[in-house]
Amino acid sequence: MRQINVPETDTGMARLDPRMSRMKYRLERLMLTPLFRFSLRVVLPFALAFGGVTAWFSVEANRTAFTLMVADVQAAVQNRPEFQVKLMAIDGATEAVAEAIRAELALNLPMSSFDLDLDEMQLKAGALDAVKKVDLRIRQGGVLQIDVVERVPAVLWRGPEGLVMLDETGMTVGPAASRAERVDLPVIAGEAAEEAVPEALRLWAVAGPLKERLRGFERIGARRWDVVLDRDQRIMLPDKGAVQALERVIAMAMAPQVDLLARDLVAVDLRLPRRPTIRMSEHATEEMWRIKMIEAGQQ
């Protein structure tokens, strides 16, 4: 075969020889490297863009203009009619509680739903004494829906601030103007009486035959109850088994041959269940001694 000689440049190197440009050779080698290609296509454009944005935001006038633009866009979106809350609906609450919720939230409707902090509003409404549970949500049509579960008064507590209605767990429902306002509820008083409402309700449940004479339940020493009746009579219950002790007294009171509470008594003391005692009035005691003296004289 005939050999073809390639002409050489002035430097003595062939034009097609890769060794003619080491920089080009190295660049081609770098382009074959995945990390270099990633840096060239991703890192470098990002760095240039980030540098440009940083330089633009370094000017205070540019920052102010951008902030105003964002605020205008945000206001335009939030003030659209579909995001406006126009009405408030409260269900499950009495008129007095509903008015208390409106006063506590103090909303100036209509307003954007983005300006309403439902969690904070729920905490405010739930902090009212008469509210047991509350749920807030925004319905379609721009209605703020408030569903309320009220506390149900179970007892009247005669405390330091007067008569207060408590629910079955001892939580405050609200003040009571007078005893006549809620004659259907039992009255409790005494030390830490508000902390023993469940036991007082159990006593109230079995005190049916005595309810016409019942004045209330008094907590003694924060550990036991006295049942207070009219005619200044008391049933002194033990700290344990109070319900069963009251049932025994009621059984004796209802028995015609005993009719215990119809007698001239001051107290029925059941603090020692195995040794119940009866405390008679002063007049009854004097009469008993007079009869005994008469009987002793006749003997």
Side-chain angles (χ1 to χ4, degrees):
M1 296 178 61
R2 188 176 58 181
Q3 184 177 4
I4 301 176
N5 297 325
V6 179
E8 297 182 353
T9 62
D10 294 339
T11 58
M13 298 177 63
R15 292 181 178 276
L16 299 180
D17 191 346
R19 291 176 299 176
M20 63 173 287
S21 175
R22 293 184 178 182
M23 182 66 67
K24 182 179 179 181
Y25 174 75
R26 291 176 179 177
L27 183 61
E28 290 178 352
R29 293 285 298 178
L30 284 175
M31 291 300 296
L32 297 176
T33 305
L35 180 61
F36 182 80
R37 292 201 305 270
F38 175 80
S39 301
L40 188 63
R41 296 174 181 176
V42 178
V43 177
L44 181 60
F46 176 79
L48 292 175
F50 180 78
V53 172
T54 303
W56 190 84
F57 272 102
S58 64
V59 181
E60 185 177 357
N62 294 340
R63 293 197 303 270
T64 303
F66 180 80
T67 303
L68 292 176
M69 182 191 68
V70 172
D72 291 340
V73 173
Q74 183 179 7
V77 173
Q78 293 181 356
N79 292 328
R80 290 180 62 86
E82 56 266 31
F83 297 129
Q84 293 294 304
V85 177
K86 307 177 184 67
L87 298 173
M88 179 191 301
I90 302 178
D91 294 334
T94 60
E95 185 61 29
V97 175
E99 288 298 326
I101 292 176
R102 292 189 181 95
E104 184 68 25
L105 298 182
L107 298 178
N108 187 17
L109 300 178
M111 61 189 304
S112 174
S113 60
F114 290 95
D115 295 330
L116 298 177
D117 189 342
L118 296 184
D119 293 335
E120 182 180 357
M121 294 164 57
Q122 184 166 342
L123 290 176
K124 286 184 177 180
L128 296 174
D129 289 338
V131 176
K132 181 178 182 180
K133 182 181 179 182
V134 62
D135 180 62
L136 282 76
R137 68 182 187 278
I138 298 177
R139 289 178 8 208
Q140 290 184 351
V143 178
L144 175 61
Q145 180 66 45
I146 302 178
D147 296 320
V148 180
V149 177
E150 289 191 32
R151 298 188 187 278
V152 179
V155 299
L156 289 176
W157 172 45
R158 192 177 298 278
E161 300 179 359
L163 280 177
V164 179
M165 292 183 291
L166 307 179
D167 69 357
E168 60 184 4
T169 64
M171 297 298 295
T172 302
V173 177
S178 64
R179 176 71 179 93
E181 181 180 336
R182 295 303 303 265
V183 295
D184 58 317
L185 300 180
V187 178
I188 63 173
E191 184 180 355
E194 72 279 10
E195 300 176 4
V197 171
E199 186 179 19
L201 290 176
R202 291 194 295 270
L203 295 174
W204 170 256
V206 302
L210 302 178
K211 285 184 179 179
E212 293 184 359
R213 298 189 54 198
L214 184 63
R215 294 286 182 85
F217 302 95
E218 182 178 1
R219 191 73 170 167
I220 307 298
R223 62 184 182 84
R224 65 171 196 85
W225 292 100
D226 274 3
V227 182
V228 182
L229 305 175
D230 59 2
R231 292 166 34 200
D232 295 329
Q233 288 185 337
R234 284 178 176 259
I235 302 174
M236 306 169 70
L237 300 175
D239 55 352
K240 295 181 180 179
V243 175
Q244 294 77 6
L246 181 57
E247 288 177 338
R248 291 196 297 270
V249 173
I250 293 176
M252 289 187 291
M254 299 302 297
Q257 63 275 21
V258 180
D259 200 7
L260 179 63
L261 297 177
R263 303 179 182 275
D264 195 1
L265 303 176
V266 173
V268 178
D269 191 346
L270 300 175
R271 290 175 294 177
L272 298 176
R274 296 184 178 182
R275 296 180 58 185
T277 58
I278 296 175
R279 189 184 307 167
M280 296 184 297
S281 66
E282 184 178 353
H283 173 72
T285 303
E286 293 177 353
E287 186 65 19
M288 182 189 67
W289 283 110
R290 188 181 67 83
I291 294 174
K292 285 188 175 182
M293 291 177 63
I294 294 175
E295 292 177 350
Q298 288 180 350
Q299 292 177 357

